[in-house]
Amino acid sequence: MVRSRAIRTLVTLFFVIIFMACSKQKKERVINFPKTDLSLENFIPKPLQVIPSNNGFALDKYTAIYTSKNIEGYEDVGKFLAKKIKAKTDLDLQVNVNDLPNIETVIYINQSDSLNVEGLEAYELHITQDSIILNSNTAAGSFRGIQTLRQIIPEVSNDTLIARTKIWTIPTGKIIDNPQFEYRGSMLDVARHFFSVEDVKKYIDILAYYKYNVLHLHLTDDQGWRLEIKSWPKLTEIGGSTEVGGESGGFYTQEDYAEIIDYAAMHHITVIPEIDMPGHTNAASVSYPFLNGNGRKLELYQGTEVGFSTFDTRKDTVYTFIDDVIREIAALTPGPYIHIGGDESHATKKSDYIYFVNKVEKIVQKYNKRMIGWDEVATADIDSTSIAQFWASKKNAQAAVDKGMKIIMSPAKKAYLDMKYDTLSKHGLHWAAYIPVDTAYIWTPESYEGIPIKNILGLEAPLWSETISNIEELEYLAFPRAIGYSELSWTTQENRDWENYKVRLANQTPFLDRMNVKYYPSKLIDWKKNKNKYKKIDKD
């Protein structure tokens, strides 16, 4: 198999080279490129290795895209790249079309088993004057590689103008890259305030650009239940009718959820659904009162205090309900994970909590999923296949390590996107800390609180929505900090440097402006001024 793939690669590259040579005989261009240095580009996250060759590749109407054929996903990646180039430059690049006249340069997206680094998302970019060859082990790796390529296509066509043809000069050289962590995520809380399918899609667009590969959706809480469960329709009819502050709430139909799943898959992002329990369950218990275990009068809730709700953990019908919910969600969710919450269950007795988590872990496993829970779940008798998400307790994180579990790093003091930047922030909370842009970047997830790197699955930046109710407010809290977390997730510690990073961050403004992102303009960053106006958002 390896040998046949290598032969296919060589044959395809041979024909690409011959095709280019024939094209050059038809039409010779003489282009005096400005001096370019690939190592000075504003990559985020920073690649593993960048080797400049100080020349230029001409991206223009004489460029075509070719991909490995008959290998799942590669042509889709090529078409995705073509769409993004069209949105940025208005160039219509053809994908896998033979006999194109006057083609002078090519972008070739190639499946290869011979990379300098191993990994499902590893890739290499070889950029010369005539060609860009992107090699990867998988379509996911090629997708990460084209995000790097997107970042080095100039935002504005102010290069050379030849024969009335705009040319975007891409610096030449070689990039070798591979992520440090396999899990690089952000969580969006749609339970406290509901966000539309289009809002979620826009968030996915931006996350994908910075090489995130996980979107964790916090779908249920005291204030709302946001995903249709056909076997228990009152969850959304009643539980989905409110949100913090008294607005009307909302929910995703199963078709809406499938649309989000599919859109994320196009961006090689895994969606992780969270059904929070046994606490944070008031919306569910109001919908179906037999679930309630706290003995209090049930009312729809629109506040922000936590810890008062719990399921009745000793009632068999509660587990019948949970089985139905997990069964339906597992069938809708192709990813390997289901998140059960498990945090802040202050109204649940300790013995009842352990009993509950143990039983729910088995239900999740019954449907061939891997359980994730906030770090409190490590206090139960769960096995090493389950994952603890460290948000607050070093003791709980250590218990997870002792059980041989993997840990997702989300310490509230460092990684919570809902924390205010400073005392002047318009939105957010500060119960954990103020997290300015530099604090969000200058920490070491590889060794935070003594957790061994071998136990760390990756990093996730959660965005809770108590204080935000629309996409603009979401963007204010998420960006630019989520951009920094992408680098902490992808780039090795020795390649990270605040002084270098803040320069690269300052140069993200053209992309953020074109995407109409209402980011927080931290005074710590000397933001690049952008005089250009963009008429459309770069999205699919």
Side-chain angles (χ1 to χ4, degrees):
M1 177 63 74
V2 172
R3 184 178 178 183
S4 64
R5 284 180 178 173
I7 292 171
R8 285 201 308 269
T9 297
L10 289 172
V11 169
T12 306
L13 287 174
F14 173 77
F15 282 111
V16 168
I17 292 167
I18 295 298
F19 177 71
M20 289 169 57
C22 293
S23 297
K24 283 175 181 275
Q25 290 174 8
K26 296 177 185 177
K27 183 179 185 298
E28 286 288 344
R29 286 185 300 166
V30 179
I31 302 174
N32 296 316
F33 287 113
K35 289 186 176 180
T36 59
D37 187 339
L38 188 62
S39 66
L40 298 180
E41 290 295 312
N42 296 294
F43 299 114
I44 298 180
K46 192 173 185 180
L48 189 65
Q49 190 175 3
V50 179
I51 306 165
S53 58
N54 302 313
N55 214 312
F57 170 92
L59 176 68
D60 62 6
K61 68 179 183 180
Y62 302 111
T63 304
I65 298 173
Y66 296 93
T67 73
S68 291
K69 295 183 178 180
N70 303 319
I71 301 176
E72 186 176 359
Y74 276 79
E75 186 167 18
D76 291 336
V77 171
K79 291 177 178 178
F80 183 95
L81 177 60
K83 286 181 181 180
K84 294 304 180 183
I85 290 174
K86 169 68 174 176
K88 190 170 186 177
T89 67
D90 208 33
L91 292 172
D92 282 306
L93 302 192
Q94 299 301 303
V95 180
N96 289 339
V97 176
N98 296 325
D99 301 323
L100 291 173
N102 300 324
I103 292 303
E104 303 246 350
T105 55
V106 298
I107 300 170
Y108 182 55
I109 302 171
N110 173 52
Q111 195 282 332
S112 174
D113 298 302
S114 302
L115 302 184
N116 288 298
V117 289
E118 296 181 356
L120 294 177
E121 295 177 284
Y123 69 91
E124 293 178 3
L125 269 169
H126 302 262
I127 307 170
T128 69
Q129 284 184 273
D130 300 321
S131 66
I132 297 175
I133 299 175
L134 169 59
N135 290 325
S136 61
N137 295 315
T138 65
S142 68
F143 188 82
R144 307 304 169 211
I146 68 169
Q147 308 317 313
T148 300
L149 181 56
R150 289 173 65 194
Q151 291 189 11
I152 54 177
I153 299 172
E155 281 288 344
V156 181
S157 179
N158 56 2
D159 282 65
T160 312
L161 194 67
I162 297 178
R164 298 181 181 178
T165 301
K166 291 180 179 179
I167 302 203
W168 282 258
T169 303
I170 297 176
T172 59
K174 182 177 181 180
I175 296 173
I176 300 170
D177 206 6
N178 192 39
Q180 175 175 218
F181 292 120
E182 65 178 88
Y183 185 111
R184 306 177 307 281
S186 180
M187 187 213 77
L188 179 58
D189 172 20
V190 298
R192 272 58 175 273
H193 280 101
F194 181 66
F195 291 89
S196 69
V197 171
E198 290 306 309
D199 289 340
V200 176
K201 285 183 175 181
K202 184 179 179 185
Y203 198 47
I204 289 170
D205 287 331
I206 305 167
L207 295 179
Y209 185 77
Y210 293 106
K211 298 187 176 71
Y212 280 82
N213 66 354
V214 172
L215 175 63
H216 167 188
L217 289 177
H218 182 77
L219 292 165
T220 72
D221 215 295
D222 293 316
Q223 300 86 353
W225 185 288
R226 306 300 179 203
L227 179 60
E228 177 189 25
I229 303 298
K230 292 187 181 296
S231 55
W232 299 88
K234 291 181 181 179
L235 289 171
T236 47
E237 291 172 7
I238 298 173
S241 65
T242 56
E243 63 182 24
V244 168
E247 298 298 322
S248 59
F251 66 91
Y252 305 119
T253 65
Q254 292 196 359
E255 291 75 20
D256 291 335
Y257 182 70
E259 186 177 345
I260 291 171
I261 292 283
D262 291 345
Y263 194 80
M266 285 171 50
H267 295 74
H268 291 267
I269 286 177
T270 298
V271 173
I272 299 176
E274 179 183 347
I275 304 301
D276 207 344
M277 50 188 169
H280 292 277
T281 47
N282 189 74
S285 293
V286 172
S287 304
Y288 292 97
F290 77 88
L291 297 169
N292 186 39
N294 68 5
R296 293 171 54 172
K297 181 181 177 181
L298 292 171
E299 298 177 333
L300 288 169
Y301 183 63
Q302 300 167 2
T304 58
E305 295 299 318
V306 300
F308 63 89
S309 60
T310 183
F311 281 160
D312 186 336
T313 63
R314 299 291 175 168
K315 188 181 291 183
D316 289 343
T317 50
V318 170
Y319 296 102
T320 300
F321 165 82
I322 293 170
D323 191 286
D324 284 342
V325 169
I326 298 299
R327 171 179 53 79
E328 289 196 33
I329 293 176
L332 293 167
T333 307
Y337 307 110
I338 287 181
H339 202 302
I340 70 155
D343 62 315
E344 298 176 319
S345 296
H346 305 316
T348 315
K349 293 180 181 179
K350 183 67 175 178
S351 59
D352 290 343
Y353 178 86
I354 293 172
Y355 177 82
F356 178 87
V357 173
N358 291 346
K359 286 185 72 71
V360 173
E361 180 189 47
K362 298 299 185 292
I363 295 172
V364 172
Q365 292 171 345
K366 172 183 173 182
Y367 293 104
N368 299 311
K369 301 297 184 183
R370 191 173 177 184
M371 188 184 82
I372 304 175
W374 299 100
D375 61 47
E376 290 93 326
V377 300
T379 63
D381 302 321
I382 56 180
D383 65 41
S384 61
T385 64
S386 292
I387 298 164
Q389 187 162 1
F390 172 36
W391 73 280
S393 172
K394 179 181 177 181
K395 181 179 179 181
N396 290 342
Q398 185 57 54
V401 170
D402 293 342
K403 287 181 168 68
M405 297 168 64
K406 290 289 187 180
I407 294 174
I408 299 167
M409 298 295 290
S410 301
K413 294 179 181 180
K414 296 291 185 181
Y416 267 31
L417 288 168
D418 57 303
M419 292 298 106
K420 290 185 174 184
Y421 292 91
D422 51 41
T423 58
L424 301 177
S425 292
K426 292 186 295 183
H427 309 292
L429 303 168
H430 60 85
W431 59 263
Y434 292 103
I435 307 179
V437 176
D438 55 350
T439 298
Y441 183 86
I442 305 171
W443 63 288
T444 310
E446 295 91 341
S447 58
Y448 187 78
E449 295 288 19
I451 297 172
I453 192 170
K454 67 179 182 179
N455 289 91
I456 298 174
L457 184 65
L459 177 68
E460 180 179 292
L463 178 52
W464 303 98
S465 66
E466 288 97 325
T467 68
I468 58 172
S469 59
N470 57 54
I471 186 67
E472 290 82 11
E473 293 168 355
L474 182 162
E475 292 165 355
Y476 175 94
L477 287 178
F479 303 106
R481 290 181 295 194
I483 301 173
Y485 295 133
S486 78
E487 183 148 302
L488 292 179
S489 299
W490 182 281
T491 304
T492 56
Q493 184 179 351
E494 58 269 23
N495 277 347
R496 301 195 303 261
D497 174 78
W498 165 250
E499 294 300 324
N500 177 266
Y501 168 74
K502 71 179 185 179
V503 173
R504 289 180 284 122
L505 178 59
N507 283 278
Q508 300 304 303
T509 50
F511 169 74
L512 296 173
D513 289 346
R514 180 158 48 81
M515 292 292 292
N516 194 28
V517 176
K518 305 302 184 183
Y519 62 93
Y520 172 69
S522 169
K523 293 182 180 179
L524 297 171
I525 307 301
D526 184 16
W527 299 99
K528 179 181 178 181
K529 303 300 180 184
N530 179 35
K531 299 178 182 179
N532 300 287
K533 302 297 182 182
Y534 299 100
K535 295 182 180 179
K536 57 186 176 180
I537 293 177
D538 178 10
K539 62 181 290 186
D540 298 296

